[in-house]
Amino acid sequence: MDLVQPGIMSRIVDDGVLGLGNGGAGDLHLILVLGLQMIALVLFGGLCGSLNNVFVHLSGQNIGKSSVSERPMTSSSRPSSVSW
């Protein structure tokens, strides 16, 4: 995502603002379309980041459950009691 946005920005400036691709006339429609594409990419990236956090949380919880239930606690694996 981060590598696509500079290319979109260069197209906005070169073709949309400066009009290098169409004889020096700017293209407002191109600016709007590419701007909306950038907003869509940002929303998609945010969604992927949030889903990543959800899946990491779920997998961490499942790993913790499986390791505790498979290994019973013995006297040697109990945490030592610390008195203050």
Side-chain angles (χ1 to χ4, degrees), residues 3-74:
L3 298 175
V4 174
Q5 287 187 346
I8 294 174
M9 285 296 298
S10 70
R11 283 194 57 206
I12 288 174
V13 172
D14 291 344
D15 298 335
V17 176
L18 299 176
L20 296 179
N22 55 359
D27 189 2
L28 184 60
H29 178 70
L30 180 70
I31 294 171
L32 292 175
V33 168
L34 292 177
L36 290 174
Q37 284 180 1
M38 287 181 62
I39 291 172
L41 285 173
V42 167
L43 293 175
F44 180 69
L47 176 69
C48 289
S50 297
L51 288 175
N52 178 41
N53 291 336
V54 169
F55 292 135
V56 165
H57 173 74
L58 290 175
S59 65
Q61 291 296 320
N62 290 335
I63 289 172
K65 286 179 187 176
S66 66
S67 66
V68 169
S69 64
E70 291 174 0
R71 187 182 68 213
M73 204 169 211
T74 63

